[in-house]
Amino acid sequence: MPNSNAKLHSNHRGGREASRRELVSRSLQSAQHCLENQDFGTAYAHYLLVLNLAPELKTTVKETFQFTLFKWAEELDSLARIQDLFNCYEQALELYPNDEVICNSMGEHLFRMGFRDEAAGYFHKAVKLNPDFADAKENFYRVANWLVERWHFIMLNDAKRNLTYLRAIENAVRSGSKSVLDIGTGTGILSMFAKKAGASFVYACELSKTMYELARDVVAANKMEREIKLLHLKSLDIEIPKHMPERVSLVVTETVDAGLFGEGIVESLIHAWEHLLLQPK
C-alpha cells in the first residue's frame, strides 16, 4: 500500500511538471507571436508568466525580455501611463535585480520625467554593477552635472578652508567631543576629518540621494565605511535612538548657501542643538 501511494504522488508530481512545461512552451510561443505583431504589452505579460513559472529560463530569454520591456515602456510613456511604466520596471527588477541595462533604462525614463535625483540612483547602480557600461557612465555624469552644485568642487579645492575645518574639529575632539554629527555631509569630508581626529562615533546625514551615494563611495574609498554611519535623511527627521543611539557632543556643518532659505542652516542647527546635541551641564 505505501508503495502504491508513493507511485500516485510521483505520477501527480510528474503530471504537474508536464503541465508546467506545456504552459511555459505555449506562453513562449504566444510571446513570440505577439512580438511579431508588435503587441508588446501582451508579449510582456507572457514573458512575466514564463519567468515566474520557469526561473531557470532567465538567462535564455533575458535579451528578448529586455527588448519587450523597453518597447512596452515606450508605448506606456507615449500614452502617459506613468504608473504602469514604473510598475513594469519594478516587476522586471524583481526578476533581474542586478541587471545594469534595466537599471539604466529605468534611470533614463526617470530623468526625462524630471526625477533627476532618483534617476541618478539607478544610473549609479548600473555603473556599480558594470563599471565598463559606457551608456550608464555617460548618463550618471550627465545627471550629476545637474545635481552636484558647482560650489562643492570649489570648496574641495579650497585648501585654506579645509585646513581651518580640520584644525577646528581636531581641537573639539581633543577637548572631549567624541561623538559627531555632520549635517549636510556632501562628499563626507568633514565626517572623515572627525574620524581622523579621533572621534569614537561619527554620523552624517545628507538629503540629496546623489550626494548621499557619492559620500558612500568617498567614505568607502577611504576605508571608513564601518566607522562613519551615513544617513539619507534631513537632519530634522533624525530620531534617537532609531538613527543614532544617543545625542552627540559635536555638530559640524557647512550648509550656508541657498539652503539658508531651504533646509536651512538656522533651522537645522537649532534642531540639532535641541534634539541631537548633548546639553552642557
Side-chain angles (χ1 to χ4, degrees):
M1 196 65 176
N3 288 337
S4 178
N5 287 337
K7 187 175 182 180
L8 284 171
H9 283 301
S10 177
N11 289 338
H12 183 60
R13 284 196 301 272
R16 282 191 303 178
E17 178 60 21
S19 296
R20 182 186 75 91
R21 286 198 299 266
E22 177 66 18
L23 181 56
V24 168
S25 177
R26 288 184 179 181
S27 293
L28 282 172
Q29 292 174 9
S30 296
Q32 188 60 43
H33 179 72
C34 290
L35 285 178
E36 290 170 1
N37 290 287
Q38 298 189 345
D39 183 359
F40 300 114
T42 307
Y44 175 76
H46 280 298
Y47 277 119
L48 280 184
L49 178 61
V50 168
L51 290 168
N52 279 287
L53 286 175
E56 68 272 14
L57 295 178
K58 281 185 179 180
T59 303
T60 306
V61 304
K62 180 178 176 180
E63 289 188 10
T64 311
F65 175 76
Q66 287 175 343
F67 172 81
T68 306
L69 167 67
F70 300 156
K71 286 295 185 180
W72 179 224
E74 287 176 10
E75 280 192 29
L76 292 172
D77 193 7
S78 67
L79 296 169
R81 291 171 57 183
I82 305 307
Q83 190 56 55
D84 289 335
L85 185 153
F86 288 150
N87 288 341
C88 286
Y89 273 96
E90 287 174 4
Q91 292 167 339
L93 287 170
E94 284 180 9
L95 292 166
Y96 296 96
N98 296 317
D99 188 290
E100 70 273 19
V101 178
I102 295 176
C103 286
N104 182 64
S105 180
M106 174 68 155
E108 289 176 337
H109 281 287
L110 286 165
F111 185 76
R112 283 196 295 270
M113 294 173 192
F115 300 106
R116 291 170 183 156
D117 216 13
E118 293 82 356
Y122 281 97
F123 294 145
H124 182 261
K125 183 178 179 181
V127 173
K128 283 285 220 181
L129 290 167
N130 182 1
D132 297 323
F133 188 8
D135 287 350
K137 286 168 69 174
E138 182 179 344
N139 284 332
F140 182 69
Y141 294 144
R142 180 163 54 112
V143 76
N145 282 330
W146 284 89
L147 295 172
V148 180
E149 300 287 349
R150 297 295 93 192
W151 49 261
H152 276 290
F153 302 103
I154 297 171
M155 289 194 309
L156 289 172
N157 287 286
D158 188 342
K160 183 177 179 181
R161 162 202 171 271
N162 294 337
L163 184 59
T164 301
Y165 262 99
L166 175 60
R167 287 174 177 168
I169 291 171
E170 285 176 340
N171 289 337
V173 172
R174 289 196 195 104
S175 299
S177 297
K178 296 298 183 183
S179 56
V180 180
L181 170 64
D182 179 7
I183 294 178
T185 192
T187 58
I189 187 171
L190 299 186
S191 296
M192 292 187 290
F193 282 171
K195 194 63 200 176
K196 287 182 177 179
S200 302
F201 304 99
V202 179
Y203 308 93
C205 65
E206 175 57 54
L207 180 59
S208 164
K209 177 68 173 175
T210 302
M211 295 309 299
Y212 167 75
E213 295 288 354
L214 178 60
R216 285 182 61 185
D217 285 348
V218 171
V219 168
N222 285 273
K223 304 188 186 307
M224 293 186 183
E225 64 269 31
R226 295 186 179 181
E227 300 172 321
I228 298 173
K229 183 176 181 181
L230 287 163
L231 303 167
H232 181 217
L233 288 170
K234 243 179 122 173
S235 62
L236 295 173
D237 294 332
I238 296 176
E239 299 177 16
I240 297 171
K242 181 179 179 181
H243 301 114
M244 301 190 311
E246 58 186 5
R247 294 183 179 189
V248 297
S249 51
L250 176 67
V251 169
V252 296
T253 189
E254 186 174 26
T255 51
V256 185
D257 68 321
L260 180 62
F261 306 102
E263 153 97 8
I265 186 171
V266 175
E267 184 181 33
S268 297
L269 291 180
I270 291 174
H271 171 77
W273 179 259
E274 292 179 345
H275 299 286
L276 304 173
L277 193 63
L278 286 170
Q279 300 296 315
K281 295 180 180 179

